[in-house]
Amino acid sequence: MFKGSGKKPASLTDELQYYCHEFNEFNQRCERICKALAEIANQHESISSYSVRGMRHNATWLKYRINEFSRQLQALHERAHREER
């Protein structure tokens, strides 16, 4: 489970910051999974080269999308913080 406190944030900025932290933890876990899949693909001769390429492609795509979501979430948080002032 994620490290969140479970308390509902008081403002939009606080809520966005909360989810930025939650998403950052999710991102780190996904990165570890992607690295593990890449390692498995490189270490096992019984996996076909087609499967290895597919695993690498999906791991790369997942890391790219996670980072993009993270950037978008952070930008939204910064915009909300500016607008609350």
Side-chain angles (χ1 to χ4, degrees):
M1 197 51 130
F2 297 116
K3 295 177 186 174
S5 66
K7 288 175 29 178
K8 184 165 173 85
S11 68
L12 177 59
T13 302
D14 291 342
E15 188 171 356
L16 283 167
Q17 185 174 21
Y18 172 83
Y19 286 115
C20 283
H21 291 300
E22 290 287 302
F23 190 75
N24 186 43
E25 181 181 353
F26 174 78
N27 184 17
Q28 291 171 359
R29 288 176 184 227
C30 285
E31 187 173 343
R32 285 188 292 244
I33 290 170
C34 290
K35 285 179 182 179
L37 285 174
E39 189 65 27
I40 289 168
N42 288 328
Q43 298 296 324
H44 289 38
E45 294 81 26
S46 63
I47 298 175
S48 72
S49 63
Y50 180 76
S51 295
V52 170
R53 282 193 307 270
M55 290 170 75
R56 284 185 182 149
H57 173 77
N58 284 304
T60 300
W61 177 85
L62 181 59
K63 288 194 299 188
Y64 170 80
R65 292 299 293 153
I66 287 169
N67 288 327
E68 184 64 26
F69 285 131
S70 183
R71 282 190 294 276
Q72 291 173 348
L73 190 56
Q74 186 62 38
L76 184 59
H77 172 256
E78 290 168 4
R79 192 177 93 204
H81 185 69
R82 285 191 306 270
E83 290 177 6
E84 273 189 358
R85 291 183 192 177

